[in-house]
Amino acid sequence: MRGAGRFAPSPSGDLHLGNIRTGLLAYARARQTGRRFLWRIEDLDRVRAGAAASQLQVFRELGVVPDETPLVQSERLDVYADAIGSLAEAGLVYECYCSRRDIQQAASAPHAPPGAYPGTCRRLGEGDRERRRAELAAAGRQPALRLRTENTEITVPDGLLGTITAPVDDFVLRRGDGVFAYNLTVVVDDAASGVDEVLRGDDLASSAPRQAHLGRLLGAGEQSWLHVPLVLGESGARLAKRDGAVTYEQLSALGWKPADVFEWVWHSLGGDSAGGEVLGQRPWSSLDDLVDGIDFAHLRREPSVFLPPTDAATVPTGSAPDL
Ligand code: GLU
């Protein structure tokens, strides 16, 4: 099977221009490298009714249609349960009864990387487990499930960042509220779809070592990553709805067309400054321009700033932040 890239937005609301830029880059990368471009609806948490459909519609208006029917995570609960089952058979899963507060208050384990799960529930005897399980059940809760790891740091290569090193601790596979954890579902789904390269926002870079480790345990093929910079608002914080007209729907209402989005992406990647050689001299006005124009080997690593327009007369451009 040909490899694949993907875009996997959470359907928690309308996509803002930063999310759209990441999705367009993922699409361009898949097209340039001959991979399939897939879309995944990560709807196990924070779902807003109708958001998944409107996110897909925005991309359709921009000319991007996924190569296969999107995978919907809420339809795949058995698959995630099976993956945990196979890890459990290998002795790699244990129940954790800790609350967030318990974890914060526990002394960290010796030699564990900072921020790692301190291992409180790792070695409990069956008697203690029964007692803690019953206590949680009385409060209407259930234990989380954690992966047993070597508690080390792992380094993975990244096409933009060089390498990513992050702790791989006993991370959660199924949360205490019964929801399958992000790190598990991403790995299971990428493997099922043959996603061998992931382009996504660099806010998720520190998850890649955990996901690489879990992928190896589940026998998934090796992946590579490209974590792209986020788009920031005027304050220097990541772009958000509170910054103003940031969604495609809002920008359309102010007169933006798909060509304005492509042109803005060009500016945001440095197309109006030193990026001329990397991105071509002329602003992009079509999806094909973007697919043909990006040189991923030299993609800008700095975040961009988006200053939302306040009325139809203002068409803003992306620029390097003055931080
Ligand atoms: N659903 C995640 C998000 O919207 C992305 C997951 C991923 O790309 O690995 O932030």
Side-chain angles (χ1 to χ4, degrees), residues 191-279:
S193 320
V195 171
D196 60 345
E197 186 181 84
V198 174
L199 184 150
R200 63 185 174 191
D202 64 9
D203 53 329
L204 293 169
S206 65
S207 303
R210 286 192 177 97
Q211 293 168 7
H213 176 69
L214 184 56
R216 286 170 197 150
L217 294 176
L218 290 172
E222 287 289 312
Q223 286 185 314
S224 51
W225 286 271
L226 282 128
H227 287 94
V228 299
L230 298 181
V231 175
L232 310 179
E234 192 173 9
S235 65
R238 70 168 72 173
L239 192 66
K241 306 280 158 61
R242 65 174 173 277
D243 289 317
V246 293
T247 68
Y248 187 71
E249 290 82 349
Q250 291 169 323
L251 292 166
S252 289
L254 292 174
W256 275 48
K257 302 276 178 269
D260 296 309
V261 174
F262 302 128
E263 180 171 343
W264 180 78
V265 173
W266 184 82
H267 281 295
S268 81
L269 292 170
D272 46 1
S273 54
E277 271 170 50
V278 173
L279 304 165

Side-chain angles (χ1 to χ4, degrees), residues 6-11 19 40 42 46 182 186 190 198-201 203-204 211:
R6 46 72 165 182
F7 184 45
S10 304
N19 311 130
R40 187 161 70 232
E42 301 212 326
R46 299 184 296 129
Y182 159 70
V186 162
D190 280 351
V198 174
L199 184 150
R200 63 185 174 191
D203 53 329
L204 293 169
Q211 293 168 7

Side-chain angles (χ1 to χ4, degrees), residues 26-40:
Y27 173 79
R29 176 72 185 176
R31 282 289 168 270
Q32 278 190 10
T33 57
R35 292 181 163 88
R36 293 167 294 139
F37 174 70
L38 307 181
W39 188 290
R40 187 161 70 232

